[in-house]
Every structure is written in C-alpha cells, then in structure tokens.
C-alpha cells in the first residue's frame, strides 16, 4: 500500500512538472503559430498574389484537358508530365499571378454582375432559341469538373488578364528595325525549278532476307500493333428523338415561310479560277499576256501551276475567305478575267469565272424540310431537358442504361468495337459530339457510370464501356507480307536518296546541269510560282520549301515530292530585288516516295508596308 501511494505521488509530481514545462515553453515562443498557420498553405508567392495547392490542382486539370484535346485522346497524368505538364502549369500560374498582382496595384476588378452577364451571353450556354440554358451551363461545368464558384473565379481572372494585356498590347509598339526584319522574313518569296525523278531511276533494292524482315518488324512494332478496342453501349437523345413529341404541323411550317423568304434566297454560285501572283507588277505582266490572247490556264502553266492548282470549283460568295477577292469575283461576267486584285489578306490575284448559277428563292416544297428541321431544333430543347431528367431519375433509382432505354422507349445502341478514331467493325456511330464521346469512352473504365455528354443543340448522350480489348502486337508470321511491303518501301526510299545525293554532288560540282538531268530521266524542268516559307504547291511539299530558304545561290538540295510514283529533283531559282545575307547550304530528306535537288540563283524579297504590333 505504501509503495502504491509513493507511485501515485510520483506520477502527480511528474505530471505537474511536465505541465509546467509546457506552460513555460508557450510563454517563451508563443502559441500564435499554432492557430495562424493552421489551414494556410502557399505553394508560390508572386508579389502580393499567393498560389495555393487548390489553384495548382485546378490549373493542372485545365492544362491536362487541353493537352488531351490536342492529342485527340485522354492522356494519363504520367504521360502528360512526361510531355511537360508541370512546366506548363507553373508558367500559367506564375504568369497569371504576375498580371493579377499588377491589376491589384492598379485597383482593377470585375464585378459579379459583369461576369454573370458575360456567362448569359456565352453561346456555349445557350439553347437553340439563343436563350441562356441552365442545363447547358451545369453540364459544361460537370464536363470540366468545376463548381460554379471556381468557374466564376477562373472567368474573373481570365477576363481581367485579357483586358489588361490587350490594353498593354495596344499601346506598345516594336522598333521599326524589328518590324522591317519580320516583314522581310515573312514576305520573302522564292521561285523554284524542279525535275521529278522516277523511283525506277534508282537501283532496285533486291529481295530481303529473313533477318532483314525481322529487324524491320522489331524496329516498327507500333506499325504492327492493333490499337486498344472498346465495346460501348449508349443512349442518344437528339432533336430527332423527340421530334414526334413536338407536334410540328404544316401550318407551323407555313407560318415560318413568309418571314424567311428573304433569308432563303439561294446564293449565287460561280465556277471560279484564281491565279495567285507574287507581286502587283508580276500580276500586271500576266494580265497583259492574257489580254493579248494567252489562255488563262496556259498562263498558269507557264508559272508551273496545273489547272487543278487554280481551280476553286463552284463557290458562293461566302465561301471565299478574302472579302475583297469575293466582291471582285462576283462582279465578273462569264469567262471574264479580272484586273489584278490585291486582297484584304495581302495576296495579288487574277480571277476568272467560267460558269454562273444565279440565286433564287426556293419554293415552299423546296424549303419545307429545312424549315421543319429548324423548328425541331428550336423547340426540341425543352423536350430534351425533360427526357434528360427522366433518364437521370431512372439511373439514380439503380436501373442500368439498357433498362432505362427500354422503359423510356429510347434506342440503346451497342457498338462492338471502337478505337480512338471511331467504330472499326463497319457500324456507324449515330450520336452527336462524337469526338467528346470517344474521348470520354477512352478516359473511363468498364462498369463505371459516367456523366452524360451535353452536345448542346444536338442533344445529350449517355454511354458506358461494356468491354476492353487491350492493344496487341500482331505476331510476325501473321503480318509477314505487310512487313515485307514496308521493308521494300523503306529500302526504295533509301535507294532513291542515295541516287539523288549522287546527283546533288554532280550538280554542285558542275559536271551536270538540271536540264541535263531532266533529259537523262526523260522528264522536264518545271517551275513553281513565287513561294513563301509556309507555302505548298504541287510536287513541292513543306520540307522542300523550307530547304529552299536555307540553300545558297547556285546550290542544290533534295526533298520528298508530292508525286506518288516519282521522286523530284529540283533546281530552285530565287530571283531578287533586295539581297540579304546568304544562308549556309543544307539539304534534307523527308520520308516519302520522292526527293528534290535544288539550285538557288537569286532571291526575291517583297516587304509589306504594314507594321504589326508586337
């Protein structure tokens, strides 16, 4: 008993000492940090702006969604990080925070009323009648995984940043030397001459050995890998689904006919040809030739263009992107050639119209189907909204998607095999928003209940994954013929490259001329029109154009051609009015059936008089 009493006393004494020590420590260091630090986490501080983990998470999801859309499929977090996800998120957060800090110092802000008005006017959240749709808004938020508050905050930041940056952009200007250099770079043009080299001109690759084929198979396994397939079940509620519930009568259609008649005039169409010239002076020369009797198509061929290069087909006025060119084209009479036209987008063209189909007002019978479809789209939103609620109620009660479809008399469609591009079993995917649908199908798993996809005016889609077939490498024996075909194609390209490399050496040494090469091959030397750095024309693809801008005067190079049965060996003549420094010689080879050998003789630089704002 005595020992027990001693133990109790010691315990009390020790406890009192421990409490006293804690009190002393709080007195010395304070307890404010316990409370003020609780719940506060800041990843990054930019001026007065703090970035929290929640901000980072929200930005990460947004960037991941953008990267997935660019890739055409849902990327995993690991794939996105390997492609630079974290760096892009940090750049967005830090850059945005810097702008936010500056806006705060200026006392700038966006009111909630202005944000709400902006949301109400957003076409993405409107129904067919142009009214704000709460269903569309909520569905969009679900699709991007954001709450209303988070969306408002994001919209406020984006709007404020955009207004601030646009204001800065409008008042800032770049030095004239920079603008002139940029214009010279962008407006520089080169005229090329080339020869198509048939694949038969190079030595045949011979027959492959078994080791050659297996090596090709091992190096191109992705080519012989079947993609991942998924079996999908879906319900699509579209305007056509609820058409019968709308009770649109012929009287309704006729009531819409009169107000629409002025808007239902079929536009005037024309069979139009367009010849693009490098400058107004060149256009005047070509126009004078045509006026003197040269055929429009022959004038194009003299510039290295075929009839298909200049043929725009049958177009309406709205189909032509350049409004100035469109206006002039639709002033022309049949077979009339225009004067040189300097378009709004900067090009100089000659136009010819070979056929004119005048516009007219369609009859009631001709317009009936289109008017009825318009009425269905306008009136379907309410019926689709009601059906959406019914489907969601059934699913919430525990019914499967197939059972829900049966109860509500909707079509439950099963597609046995889809890959990331669509069905591969010959069936049609009859559903709106197919890109979003396929992205969703490959972002989920079998047996998972997914949120529906809101296709706005086109309806709503519910989907489920019923089975997954993972991607599979096909055995070598099963694809041997495809492997041999691929090997022969690669070997032929290598042989053509070897042959054209030899021609390049002979041309650069002066032992051969481009005309001599053309004669030996039974081909002709063909010219192009004046090309900018990002232009493309028949047989001359981007690798050839890009290489032309690196070759020195008198040099030659090779690149793939657009011809399916020939390589291309090109001498690229570049005429000049304002010389620039000569870039170093280079040549390139692009995978394909052709190559080009290039010779540069001079260069042509035409700088725009406009001054872009940096």
């Amino acid at each position: 008993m005595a020992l027990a009493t001693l133990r109790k006393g010691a315990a009390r004494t020790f406890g009192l000492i421990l409490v006293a020590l804690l009190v002393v420590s709080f007195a010395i260091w304070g307890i404010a940090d316990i409370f003020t630090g609780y719940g506060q986490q800041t990843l990054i501080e930019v001026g007065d702006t703090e970035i929290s983990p929640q901000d980072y998470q929200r930005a990460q999801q947004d960037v991941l969604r953008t990267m997935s859309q660019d890739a055409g499929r849902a990327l995993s977090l690991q794939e996105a990080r390997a492609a630079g996800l974290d760096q892009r998120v940090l750049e967005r957060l830090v850059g945005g925070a810097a702008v936010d800090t500056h806006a705060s110092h200026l006392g700038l802000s966006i009111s909630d009323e202005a944000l709400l008005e902006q949301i109400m006017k957003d076409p993405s959240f409107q129904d067919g009648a142009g009214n704000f749709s709460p269903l569309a808004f909520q569905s969009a938020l679900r699709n991007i995984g954001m709450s209303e508050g988070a969306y408002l905050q994001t919209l406020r930041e984006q709007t404020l940043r955009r207004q601030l940056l646009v204001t800065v952009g409008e008042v800032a200007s770049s030095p004239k030397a920079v603008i002139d250099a940029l214009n010279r770079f962008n407006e520089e043009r080169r005229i090329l001459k080339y020869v198509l080299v048939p694949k038969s001109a190079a030595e045949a690759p011979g027959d492959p050995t078994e080791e050659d084929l297996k090596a090709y198979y091992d190096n191109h396994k992705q080519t012989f890998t079947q993609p991942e397939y998924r079996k999908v079940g879906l319900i699509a509620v579209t305007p056509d689904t609820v058409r019968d519930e709308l009770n649109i009568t012929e009287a309704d259609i006729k009531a819409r006919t009169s107000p629409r008649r002025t808007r239902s005039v079929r536009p005037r169409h024309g069979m139009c040809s367009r010849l693009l010239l490098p400058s107004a002076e060149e256009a005047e020369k070509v126009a004078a030739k045509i006026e003197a009797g040269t055929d429009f198509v022959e004038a194009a061929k003299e510039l290295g263009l075929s009839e298909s290069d200049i043929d725009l087909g049958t177009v309406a006025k709205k189909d032509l992107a350049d409004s100035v060119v469109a206006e002039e084209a639709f002033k022309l009479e049949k077979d009339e050639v225009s004067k040189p036209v300097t378009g709004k987008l900067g090009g100089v063209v000659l136009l010819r119209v070979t056929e004119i189909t005048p516009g007219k007002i369609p009859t009631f019978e001709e317009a009936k189907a289109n008017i009825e479809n318009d009425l269905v789209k306008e009136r379907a939103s309410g019926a689709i909204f009601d059906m959406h609620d019914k489907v969601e109620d059934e699913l919430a009660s525990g019914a499967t998607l197939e059972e829900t479809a049966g109860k509500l008399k909707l079509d439950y469609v099963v597609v046995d095999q889809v890959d990331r591009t669509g069905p591969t079993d010959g069936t049609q995917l009859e559903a709106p928003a197919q890109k979003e649908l396929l992205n969703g199908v490959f972002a989920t798993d079998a047996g998972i209940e997914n949120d529906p996809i809101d296709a706005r005016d086109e309806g709503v889609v519910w989907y489920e994954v019923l089975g997954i077939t993972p991607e599979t490498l096909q055995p070598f024996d099963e694809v041997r013929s495809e492997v041999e075909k691929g090997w022969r194609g690669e070997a032929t390209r290598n042989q053509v490259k070897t042959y054209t490399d030899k021609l390049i050496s002979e041309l650069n040494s002066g032992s051969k001329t481009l005309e001599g090469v053309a004669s030996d091959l039974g081909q002709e030397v063909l010219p192009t029109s004046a090309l900018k750095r990002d232009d493309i024309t028949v047989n001359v693809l981007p690798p050839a154009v890009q290489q032309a801008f690196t070759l020195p005067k008198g040099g030659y190079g090779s690149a793939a051609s657009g011809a399916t049965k020939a390589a291309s060996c090109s001498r690229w003549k570049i005429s000049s009015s304002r010389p620039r420094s000569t870039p170093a010689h280079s040549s390139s080879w692009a995978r394909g059936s052709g190559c080009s050998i290039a010779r540069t003789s001079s260069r042509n630089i035409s700088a725009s008089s406009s001054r872009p704002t940096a």
Side-chain angles (χ1 to χ4, degrees):
M1 217 175 145
L3 289 173
T5 303
L6 286 172
R7 281 197 296 271
K8 289 180 181 179
R12 279 197 303 272
T13 304
F14 180 75
L16 290 172
I17 293 172
L18 181 59
V19 170
L21 288 173
L22 288 173
V23 170
V24 171
S25 66
F26 286 142
I28 296 173
W29 289 292
I31 63 174
D33 288 345
I34 296 176
F35 300 102
T36 58
Y38 179 75
Q40 290 191 358
Q41 292 179 297
T42 301
L43 289 181
I44 306 169
E45 288 187 13
V46 181
D48 300 333
T49 304
E50 296 182 349
I51 299 173
S52 68
Q54 291 77 19
D55 295 329
Y56 186 90
Q57 187 68 25
R58 189 171 69 236
Q60 184 186 67
Q61 290 299 322
D62 190 25
V63 174
L64 177 59
R65 186 164 51 251
T66 301
M67 293 176 70
S68 296
Q69 290 172 350
D70 293 341
R73 64 183 182 88
L75 298 177
S76 67
L77 196 57
Q78 291 75 16
E79 289 177 308
R81 281 177 172 161
L85 170 69
D86 295 332
Q87 182 65 29
R88 291 174 65 171
V89 172
L90 285 175
E91 288 175 355
R92 172 181 292 196
L93 289 173
V94 173
V99 176
D100 293 344
T101 299
H102 186 58
S104 176
H105 289 168
L106 294 175
L108 303 178
S109 64
I110 303 291
S111 68
D112 290 341
E113 290 77 12
L115 290 178
L116 291 175
E117 184 179 357
Q118 185 175 340
I119 291 172
M120 297 283 283
K121 291 181 179 180
D122 192 330
S124 303
F125 307 139
Q126 293 176 355
D127 56 23
N131 299 318
F132 175 72
S133 170
L135 173 62
F137 181 57
Q138 293 299 329
S139 178
L141 292 182
R142 283 197 303 271
N143 287 340
I144 62 177
M146 294 181 71
S147 65
E148 288 187 13
Y151 180 77
L152 284 172
Q153 178 61 26
T154 301
L155 185 62
R156 175 179 281 108
E157 292 173 354
Q158 291 175 347
T159 304
L160 189 58
R161 291 170 186 175
R162 183 167 56 249
Q163 291 179 354
L164 185 60
L165 292 175
V166 166
T167 303
V168 172
E170 287 179 347
V171 298
S173 59
S174 299
K176 185 177 184 302
V178 173
I179 295 172
D180 290 343
L182 182 62
N183 281 335
R184 283 196 300 271
F185 182 86
N186 289 334
E187 296 302 323
E188 184 177 359
R189 301 169 189 262
R190 303 208 171 187
I191 299 173
L192 320 181
K193 288 186 178 179
Y194 64 92
V195 173
L196 293 176
V197 179
K199 289 189 291 185
S200 58
E203 184 180 347
D207 294 325
T209 65
E210 197 72 8
E211 289 73 21
D212 291 334
L213 295 179
K214 288 185 176 178
Y216 183 86
Y217 173 80
D218 290 337
N219 292 330
H220 299 81
K221 286 185 176 179
Q222 193 60 40
T223 304
F224 307 107
T225 298
Q226 286 186 339
E228 178 182 330
Y229 296 120
R230 298 201 169 197
K231 183 177 181 180
V232 182
L234 59 92
I235 296 174
V237 177
T238 66
D240 281 337
T241 307
V242 299
R243 180 185 289 263
D244 294 340
E245 300 177 25
L246 303 178
N247 298 319
I248 296 176
T249 65
E250 189 158 317
D252 294 329
I253 299 174
K254 286 182 176 179
R256 289 291 301 272
T257 303
S258 295
R260 290 171 56 90
R261 285 183 71 84
T262 54
R263 291 187 288 125
S264 299
V265 176
R266 288 180 179 170
R268 176 174 175 258
H269 288 75
M271 185 75 76
C272 189
S273 299
R274 177 179 62 188
L275 183 56
L276 179 64
L277 284 307
S279 64
E281 294 78 11
E282 195 70 27
E284 291 288 354
K285 292 178 183 177
V286 176
K289 280 186 180 181
I290 294 173
E291 192 172 348
T294 302
D295 182 70
F296 191 87
V297 175
E298 290 302 319
K301 288 182 178 178
E302 290 178 8
L303 295 173
L305 301 174
S306 66
E307 193 166 356
S308 61
D309 292 334
I310 62 174
D311 184 16
L312 297 179
T314 302
V315 296
K317 194 172 184 179
K318 63 181 180 59
D319 296 331
L320 297 174
D322 194 315
S323 58
V324 174
V325 172
E327 193 67 36
E328 293 300 322
F330 279 79
K331 289 179 181 178
L332 297 174
E333 299 298 329
K334 185 175 181 295
D335 294 326
E336 182 184 358
V337 178
S338 72
K339 298 294 184 182
V341 179
T342 301
K344 191 175 181 180
L345 303 179
V348 183
V349 298
L350 294 176
L351 302 164
R352 182 187 64 165
V353 176
T354 56
E355 187 178 322
I356 296 174
T357 304
K360 71 169 187 175
I361 298 176
T363 65
F364 173 75
E365 290 302 324
E366 291 173 332
K368 180 179 177 180
N370 289 334
I371 296 174
E372 184 177 1
N373 288 334
D374 288 346
L375 284 171
V376 168
K377 287 183 179 180
E378 290 176 12
R379 298 182 182 182
S381 59
I384 291 174
F385 186 89
D386 292 340
M387 186 59 72
H388 169 274
D389 288 348
K390 291 177 183 178
V391 172
E392 288 294 308
D393 289 343
E394 289 297 324
L395 294 176
S397 69
T400 65
L401 205 57
E402 186 174 9
E403 292 169 347
T404 299
K407 186 171 182 179
L408 298 177
K409 298 181 180 180
L410 299 171
D411 290 332
Y412 178 72
V413 180
V414 176
V415 185
D416 289 323
Q417 188 171 286
V418 300
D419 63 13
R420 296 181 186 276
T421 62
T424 59
D425 57 358
T427 60
Q428 294 293 323
L429 190 59
E430 300 291 345
Q434 293 194 15
K435 182 178 179 181
E436 292 80 0
L437 174 59
L438 290 170
N439 285 341
V441 165
F442 280 87
T444 186
D445 209 340
I448 301 296
E449 183 177 330
N450 306 289
D451 289 332
I453 294 175
D454 178 17
R456 298 185 177 88
D457 292 345
E458 297 180 18
V460 186
V461 184
W462 290 262
Y463 64 95
E464 60 183 348
V465 175
L466 303 175
I468 299 175
T469 303
E471 66 177 20
T472 307
L473 177 64
Q474 297 171 283
F476 173 78
D477 293 335
E478 291 183 9
V479 293
R480 192 182 189 284
S481 61
E482 295 177 33
V483 172
E484 183 173 348
K485 183 179 179 181
W487 180 91
R488 287 188 180 279
E490 185 175 87
T492 299
R493 288 190 293 272
N494 290 337
Q495 291 294 94
V496 174
K497 181 182 185 303
T498 300
Y499 178 74
T500 51
D501 285 347
K502 180 182 176 184
L503 287 178
I504 291 171
S505 298
E506 292 173 340
L507 288 165
N508 281 327
S509 67
S511 60
K512 282 190 176 182
T513 64
L514 193 67
E515 290 72 18
V517 169
S519 178
D520 292 343
L521 296 172
Q523 301 289 325
E524 59 180 328
V525 178
L526 302 172
T528 72
S529 58
L531 302 175
K532 291 184 179 181
R533 296 174 186 272
D534 57 353
D535 282 346
I536 182 173
T537 187
V538 176
N539 299 328
V540 182
L541 301 181
V545 178
Q546 291 163 12
Q547 187 184 163
F549 280 87
T550 67
L551 289 169
K553 181 178 179 180
Y556 294 87
S558 66
S561 77
T564 56
K565 295 185 179 180
S568 68
C569 164
S570 307
R571 167 180 176 262
W572 297 348
K573 179 183 178 183
I574 306 176
S575 59
S576 174
S577 59
R578 292 170 60 186
R580 294 173 63 195
S581 59
T582 302
H585 170 80
S586 71
S587 61
S588 65
W589 176 258
R591 180 178 179 182
S593 60
C595 77
S596 64
I597 296 175
R599 177 186 172 195
T600 67
S601 58
S602 58
R603 58 177 57 84
N604 181 350
I605 304 171
S606 59
S608 169
S609 60
S610 61
R611 295 187 60 187
T613 301

